[in-house]
């Protein structure tokens, strides 16, 4: 069996994707005579995650040279394991299974080997049912597979609208488009309107779009699917798009969250994305939240048709009153000995025309560090004025207030 499976895997990995699955399926049927073999590409059948949560045991066998990728998320301190092209043994409720993971350039196919067909179907259904649920986490789709990001959950749990300086009209529009949507299910159905919505947050970077999204997810308390990329090393963009919307339909009402939609959805696959967003499939109860720094780059088919992103909420550069409120909140965290007074805050708010919230945050941080470096010898007002002049040059040059590799998500 070992030699047979290894030879078949070698042939499969050198073949076209459609031929690879046929080759491997035949080899597995021959290697396990008399057993039932269930084949699936359903991403809900995440037996690795199921085992990781203690629902079954899974052991990678060395009969076929296994490929197990380990990945550490340093921001959230979460480690993930991705099994590829490997034969595994599974123990579940006193039953013994084998499962083979075949990973090609376009998809991941699972072969579930069981004593009988009904037993294979029972295990398959149970794994899919459990994985389709969101158990208090945020499901993140990236690199062609799902993972649960506990770090992102903690960030969202601490995100509140009270911590966001936002124009009242923008806040009202945002809550009406999201909270109002989930509260209006019966109204939609009474008038025969499909209960689905797309909301697009637009505006230059650094003005609170990301913080607003996290605060919304925290407030709405709905299952949430966060899309980092539809493209994976082992799956096509079409597979990724379909996987996300299929899973969302299975657990709706829910939220699908796509940051920087202009870069996540490629022009080549826009029509496929639109079909999943607004095609024949029923997206009842799905709220798609997306952001973009560059709405002008989006295809009109995506933003101008009402049934797609029918609500748009702008996050523009803050007005003087909002700049004043933000600077006042940030500097209140400083010790009383060098907090600027109200008149200074007002003058700074006028002097920072064109600054985003990210630049205002950098103004406070850089001023505090400069004051500390000078051992307090320079009055804080002078330090603030100097930093305003330095940052104004960066604003004019279009330089990010904080480098991309160290930028806090809340700055967007």
């Amino acid at each position: 069996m070992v030699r047979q499976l290894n030879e078949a895997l070698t042939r499969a990995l050198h073949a076209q994707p459609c031929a690879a699955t046929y080759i491997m399926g035949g080899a597995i049927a021959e290697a396990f005579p008399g057993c039932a073999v269930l084949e699936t590409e359903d991403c809900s059948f995440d037996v690795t995650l199921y085992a990781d949560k203690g629902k079954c045991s899974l052991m990678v066998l060395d009969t076929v040279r296994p490929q197990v990728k380990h990945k550490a998320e340093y921001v959230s301190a979460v480690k993930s394991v991705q099994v590829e092209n490997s034969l595994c043994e599974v123990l579940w409720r006193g039953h013994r299974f084998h499962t083979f993971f075949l990973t090609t350039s376009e998809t991941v196919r699972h072969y579930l080997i069981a004593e009988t067909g009904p037993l294979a179907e029972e295990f398959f259904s149970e794994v899919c049912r459990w994985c389709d649920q969101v158990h208090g986490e945020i499901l993140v789709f990236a690199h062609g597979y799902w993972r649960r990001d506990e770090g992102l959950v903690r960030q969202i749990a601490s995100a509140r609208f009270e911590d966001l300086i936002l124009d009242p009209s923008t806040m009202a529009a945002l809550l009406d488009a999201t909270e109002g949507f989930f509260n209006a299910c019966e109204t939609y159905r009474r008038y025969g309107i499909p209960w689905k919505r797309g909301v697009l947050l637009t505006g230059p970077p650094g003005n609170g779009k990301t913080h607003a999204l996290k605060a919304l997810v925290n407030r709405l308390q709905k299952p949430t699917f966060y899309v980092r990329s539809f493209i994976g090393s082992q799956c096509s963009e079409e597979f990724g798009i379909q996987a996300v919307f299929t899973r969302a339909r299975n657990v709706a009402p829910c939220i699908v969250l796509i940051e920087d939609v202009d870069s996540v959805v490629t022009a080549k696959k826009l029509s496929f994305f639109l079909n999943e967003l607004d095609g024949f499939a029923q997206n009842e109860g799905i709220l798609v939240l997306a952001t973009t720094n560059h709405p002008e780059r989006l295809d009109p088919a995506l933003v101008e048709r009402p049934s797609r992103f029918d609500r748009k909420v702008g996050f523009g550069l803050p007005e003087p009153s909002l700049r004043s409120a933000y600077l006042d909140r940030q500097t209140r965290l400083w010790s009383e000995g060098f907090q600027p007074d109200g008149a200074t805050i007002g003058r700074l708010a006028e002097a920072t025309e064109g600054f985003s919230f990210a630049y205002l945050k950098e103004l406070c941080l850089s001023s505090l560090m400069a004051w500390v470096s000078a051992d307090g010898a320079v009055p804080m007002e002078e330090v603030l004025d100097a930093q305003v002049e330095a940052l104004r040059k960066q604003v004019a040059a279009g330089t990010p207030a904080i480098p991309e590799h160290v930028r806090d998500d809340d700055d967007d």
Side-chain angles (χ1 to χ4, degrees):
M1 178 184 74
V2 177
R3 179 180 177 183
Q4 183 179 7
L5 289 178
N6 277 311
E7 289 179 351
L9 179 60
T10 300
R11 295 198 308 273
L13 294 179
H14 284 84
Q16 294 294 323
C18 57
T21 56
Y22 180 81
I23 292 169
M24 209 65 231
I28 288 173
E30 292 180 10
F32 294 91
C35 293
V37 180
L38 185 154
E39 298 184 32
T40 181
E41 293 181 356
D42 192 332
C43 64
S44 295
F45 186 65
D46 191 343
V47 68
T48 305
L49 175 64
Y50 192 69
D52 184 58
K53 296 299 181 179
K55 299 298 180 179
C56 69
S57 68
L58 183 145
M59 179 174 63
V60 180
L61 303 178
D62 58 5
T63 52
V64 177
R65 183 182 181 276
Q67 290 180 256
V68 181
K69 293 183 178 180
H70 295 265
K71 182 180 180 182
E73 295 290 338
Y74 296 103
V75 174
S76 58
V78 174
K79 295 181 180 179
S80 60
V81 174
Q82 184 179 0
V83 180
E84 300 178 355
N85 300 317
S86 302
L87 180 66
C88 300
E89 182 182 80
V90 178
L91 297 178
W92 177 73
R93 297 179 183 175
H95 299 287
R96 180 171 175 264
F97 303 85
H98 286 90
T99 182
F100 190 90
F101 299 76
L102 175 65
T103 306
T104 70
S105 60
E106 292 187 0
T107 188
V108 177
R109 176 166 290 204
H110 298 280
Y111 299 84
L112 177 62
I113 303 111
E115 295 177 357
T116 65
L119 185 57
E121 291 284 353
E122 181 185 359
F123 180 64
F124 172 78
S125 298
E126 179 62 22
V127 173
C128 291
R129 182 197 64 79
W130 187 88
C131 289
D132 273 340
Q133 298 173 359
V134 180
H135 305 274
E137 308 99 334
I138 305 298
L139 283 182
V140 178
F141 189 81
H143 309 298
Y145 66 98
W146 292 99
R147 64 180 178 84
R148 284 165 161 77
D149 192 328
E150 297 174 7
L152 185 58
V153 171
R154 290 192 294 270
Q155 292 177 27
I156 287 173
S158 64
R160 304 178 305 162
F161 278 112
E162 292 79 3
D163 299 325
L164 183 64
I165 303 295
L166 198 60
D167 181 83
S169 61
T170 302
M171 173 77 79
L174 193 59
L175 292 180
D176 177 67
T178 55
E179 197 170 52
F181 165 75
F182 284 119
N183 292 335
C185 175
E186 292 304 318
T187 302
Y188 274 73
R189 290 174 178 170
R190 184 184 308 127
Y191 294 103
I193 303 171
W195 185 42
K196 59 182 180 179
R197 175 168 290 173
V199 180
L200 182 65
L201 279 58
T202 68
N207 288 299
K209 295 190 297 297
T210 294
H211 187 113
L213 286 180
K214 292 177 181 178
L216 272 176
V217 172
N218 188 19
R219 182 183 180 111
L220 296 173
Q221 291 295 302
K222 299 294 182 184
T224 300
F225 304 98
Y226 183 95
V227 180
R228 294 195 186 278
S229 172
F230 285 121
I231 303 174
S233 56
Q234 281 83 39
C235 76
S236 64
E237 188 174 357
E238 292 99 327
F239 176 90
I241 294 171
Q242 189 175 52
V244 168
F245 281 95
T246 296
R247 195 153 198 173
R249 293 179 194 117
N250 288 339
V251 301
C254 66
I255 300 168
V256 174
L257 199 159
I258 309 173
E259 282 199 277
D260 299 317
V261 65
D262 50 292
S263 60
V264 172
V265 180
T266 66
K268 290 183 179 180
K269 303 305 176 185
L270 177 61
S271 60
F272 191 90
F273 175 78
L274 294 178
N275 188 56
E276 288 292 318
L277 183 67
D278 186 32
F280 291 107
Q282 294 296 315
N283 288 338
E284 285 280 303
I286 298 179
L287 172 66
V288 180
L289 291 175
T291 70
T292 179
N293 296 334
H294 305 283
E296 72 281 358
R297 296 180 184 175
L298 294 175
D299 192 291
L302 184 62
V303 294
E304 293 182 4
R305 183 167 173 174
S307 59
R308 290 167 182 171
F309 286 106
D310 50 353
R311 297 293 182 90
K312 302 172 187 64
V313 181
F315 282 69
L317 294 171
E319 297 293 327
S321 61
L322 296 180
R323 296 199 297 271
S324 178
Y326 185 87
L327 291 169
D328 181 65
R329 174 179 291 182
Q330 290 292 314
T331 56
R332 281 182 184 273
L333 302 175
W334 298 355
S335 298
E336 291 185 5
F338 51 92
Q339 282 182 356
D341 57 24
T344 301
I345 290 292
R347 182 170 54 79
L348 289 172
E350 293 295 333
T352 51
E353 181 71 28
F355 279 39
S356 65
F357 286 118
Y359 271 103
L360 295 175
K361 181 178 181 179
E362 177 63 12
L363 169 61
C364 296
L365 179 61
S366 61
S367 297
L368 183 59
M369 293 178 66
W371 187 85
V372 171
S373 297
D375 294 326
V378 181
M380 177 56 78
E381 289 189 21
E382 293 184 19
V383 173
L384 285 164
D385 289 339
Q387 293 301 314
V388 167
E389 290 303 316
L391 288 172
R392 187 180 286 121
K393 295 177 182 178
Q394 293 185 29
V395 171
T399 305
I402 303 174
E404 290 288 346
H405 66 283
V406 296
R407 182 177 297 176
D408 186 337
D409 284 343
D410 290 347
D411 293 325
D412 190 8

